[in-house]
Amino acid sequence: MTPAFRERVVDLDAVAANVRRLRELVPTPHAMVVVKADAYGHGAVECARAALAGGADWLGVAEIAEGLALREAGIAAPVLAWLHDPDEDFVLAVRADIDLGLSSLAQLETAAAAGDGESPVAVQLKVETGLSRNGVAEQDWDAVFARALELEDAGRIVVRGIFSHLSNASPEDDLAAVAVYERALARAGAAGLRPELRHLAASAAALTLPEARYDLVRFGIAAYGLSPFGGRRGAELGLRPAMTVRGRVAAVRRVPAGKGVSYDYTYRTTEETTLVLVPLGYAEGVPRHASNRAPVSIGGRTFRISGRVAMDQFIVDVGDLEVQVGDEVVLFGDPTTGVPSADDWAEAADTINWEIVTRLGGRLSRTFVGGAE
Ligand SMILES: *Cc1c(COP(=O)(O)O)cnc(C)c1O
């Protein structure tokens, strides 16, 4: 397949296979695949379908709008949304049968008021267990749980789940959070709540902390074939990166020694050499911080970016390699095929693989392969 000028290729069979593999590794009764932020840049609707085909039975999103987009695409699977605009009235979410992750008494009242008066609104209470993001604080648990029971008894809501999220700071910190979460479950039980879904673990804890598995785990990064552990590759877990970022060589130039390359001349050639122009820049989400550092694959060999990443493009010094305009350049993909990985890019840009894939955009087109059912 001739690559587009600049594109991300997303292998939907890889997403389905990753989810299948994760279900084997972590056999909880339920598995959510998190498709927030356009499925970490991979395409929310397509990846949601692939994840469901691979055995996920829940989808997770941050915002309600992301859940509504899944519904508009005809996806009927259970969806949970957990980060809300302060003015959100929850009416559209309730109509679209999206479970509401709630973090305060005020949100609980708003959710109850959003019902149609016939069927109860499905909510999942988020409790704060250490991450200091959203979630009901421990001193408010009793009030929230008591009110939730009242609303449940009145038929206005059903508390389908109680959940939280871990810091991954260390195994000790995560176990401390598990203990806080256990306390929340006990207090909810004492208040009379009987949530069907208890969940705490995202990819990292799902894979390494059995104590955090409960009824459901929430897979984000691992579903896309990337490892949640810095330094441990997805392949070691039997996962395959779903995304390849590539483009076509836009220009080739033979230059003498001592030639300055890209803005600020942070790179100069040391001998006569060939410079290749790659048409992806920070507008596409290529981190400028990766200038002179990140690897790219051209003609089956791996080089480093030479000089600054600009808005639209960067340059690679390929020495004496024969390169033609139009040849394929791969920034990252599945490292078992010999190309750099998103992890290599994360390292080069002092960040994490989550950010590398999720921040992509701009003029990158997206092509899907696989996914036929
Ligand atoms: C983003 C997110 C996840 C997925 O995390 P990964 O580390 O990518 O698996 C799970 N749960 C919550 C609440 C999240 O915000």
Side-chain angles (χ1 to χ4, degrees):
M1 196 165 62
T2 309
F5 191 40
R6 15 170 129 79
E7 70 177 340
R8 316 167 245 197
V9 182
V10 175
D11 182 348
L12 297 171
D13 291 340
V15 174
N18 291 334
V19 174
R20 218 169 285 126
R21 169 73 182 154
L22 290 165
R23 296 291 283 134
E24 281 166 24
L25 290 171
V26 186
T28 42
H30 302 277
M32 175 182 290
V33 168
V34 179
V35 295
K36 63 188 179 189
D38 204 17
Y40 298 30
H42 292 68
V45 166
E46 293 81 0
C47 288
R49 288 201 183 102
L52 294 167
D57 62 347
W58 274 85
L59 298 169
V61 291
E63 293 198 9
I64 287 167
E66 297 176 307
L68 294 174
L70 298 175
R71 291 286 182 259
E72 275 154 29
I75 293 170
V79 174
L80 173 65
W82 53 70
L83 185 59
H84 311 298
D85 186 311
D87 294 328
E88 177 59 59
D89 65 10
F90 298 132
V91 171
L92 291 178
V94 170
R95 275 191 211 143
D97 202 16
I98 293 168
D99 274 37
L100 299 167
L102 302 179
S103 291
S104 69
L105 196 55
Q107 285 184 340
L108 180 62
E109 298 295 353
T110 308
D116 59 7
E118 289 182 14
S119 39
V121 172
V123 307
Q124 303 201 24
L125 300 176
K126 186 165 188 198
V127 291
E128 154 64 8
T129 56
L131 192 55
S132 308
R133 302 204 314 203
N134 61 9
V136 179
E138 183 155 2
Q139 68 265 23
D140 300 327
W141 288 350
D142 290 334
V144 169
F145 295 157
R147 180 62 180 148
L149 186 73
E150 238 171 60
L151 290 166
E152 207 172 57
D153 286 345
R156 295 177 58 198
I157 66 164
V158 54
V159 178
R160 197 194 319 254
I162 293 189
F163 73 111
S164 188
H165 193 44
L166 295 170
S167 70
N168 303 330
S170 70
E172 297 71 41
D173 286 301
D174 283 348
L175 284 171
V178 169
V180 179
Y181 182 67
E182 286 286 336
R183 212 151 65 224
L185 291 177
R187 294 260 282 282
L193 295 175
R194 298 283 175 268
E196 158 198 341
L197 295 176
R198 299 161 302 160
H199 51 113
L200 184 56
S203 297
L207 289 163
T208 55
L209 197 70
E211 294 88 337
R213 286 179 183 165
Y214 297 97
D215 305 306
L216 175 150
V217 289
R218 304 184 302 263
F219 292 115
I221 198 73
Y224 306 107
L226 299 176
S227 168
F229 314 109
R232 217 170 125 197
R233 294 298 159 88
E236 291 171 49
L237 301 162
L239 305 175
R240 181 152 54 96
M243 185 192 289
T244 300
V245 176
R246 65 182 185 180
R248 301 186 75 192
V249 169
V252 178
R253 180 187 302 281
R254 190 74 183 163
V255 299
K259 190 88 176 62
V261 171
S262 192
Y263 291 127
D264 305 329
Y265 290 171
T266 61
Y267 182 89
R268 278 180 195 275
T269 59
T270 53
E271 57 211 331
E272 185 183 321
T273 191
T274 298
L275 300 179
V276 161
L277 186 66
V278 180
L280 290 93
Y282 58 77
E284 277 64 59
V286 176
R288 184 172 179 276
H289 197 62
S291 297
N292 283 310
R293 296 173 70 183
V296 296
S297 175
I298 301 173
R301 286 176 51 191
T302 300
F303 301 92
R304 283 195 186 275
I305 292 176
S306 306
R308 293 266 196 251
V309 173
M311 188 183 291
D312 316 303
Q313 52 203 295
F314 62 81
I315 292 163
V316 182
D317 180 344
V318 299
D320 293 330
L321 185 72
E322 287 283 332
V323 178
Q324 308 298 322
V325 168
D327 282 359
E328 184 188 53
V329 181
V330 178
L331 281 68
F332 60 84
D334 179 353
T336 64
T337 66
V339 298
S341 66
D343 295 291
D344 297 327
W345 273 76
E347 205 178 302
D350 294 322
T351 184
I352 52 177
N353 54 21
W354 285 260
E355 186 185 0
I356 292 295
V357 291
T358 305
R359 75 200 311 253
L360 295 172
R363 297 154 296 190
L364 270 186
S365 60
R366 193 162 41 208
T367 310
F368 295 102
V369 297
E373 269 137 61

